[in-house]
Amino acid sequence: MTTEPEVTLPDALAWLKTHTGAYPAKILEFVENKESLVKAERERCARICEQSEIPFDLELWRLSTKKEMTAHTARALADLIRTNKAGAE
C-alpha cells in the first residue's frame, strides 16, 4: 500500500501558482482570512499576558529559584489563555 506524501498549504499554493500563473481567488481569500485569525489570536494572548496578575505565595517566592518562578508564571499564563479568564477581549 502506498501513502500519499503530506502536502502543506504553502506547497499547494506554490504548485498552483506555478501551474496556473496565479492563485485561485478562493484559496487566496482563505489564506488571508486564516492569517488575520492567527494574528488576532496572537494579539488576544499577548493582551492576556500583559494584563494578568499572577499571584505568588510568599513561601513560593522566597524559596523558589528564578527558573521555578518562571515556570510557575508560564503555567499560570497558559492556564489563563486556555480558559480565557483574563477578560482581555
Side-chain angles (χ1 to χ4, degrees):
M1 175 161 72
T2 61
T3 59
E4 294 293 320
E6 188 173 324
V7 178
T8 64
L9 183 58
D11 291 341
L13 290 173
W15 185 89
L16 285 168
K17 180 149 178 83
T18 300
H19 289 82
T20 65
Y23 297 126
K26 289 284 185 189
I27 293 175
L28 185 57
E29 182 182 329
F30 170 79
V31 170
E32 289 171 349
N33 186 41
K34 184 173 179 176
E35 287 174 357
S36 68
L37 291 173
V38 168
K39 184 177 179 180
E41 179 65 10
R42 284 184 183 144
E43 184 58 33
R44 184 186 72 80
C45 292
R47 281 195 310 272
I48 289 171
C49 292
E50 289 173 345
Q51 297 171 356
S52 297
E53 294 182 14
I54 308 300
F56 282 100
D57 177 60
L58 185 56
E59 283 299 303
L60 173 71
W61 181 79
R62 191 173 70 78
L63 299 174
S64 296
T65 65
K66 184 177 180 182
K67 183 177 181 178
E68 291 167 335
M69 296 277 293
T70 301
H72 172 78
T73 303
R75 282 190 299 273
L77 287 171
D79 289 343
L80 285 170
I81 290 167
R82 285 186 188 108
T83 59
N84 197 23
K85 290 184 178 177
E89 291 297 328

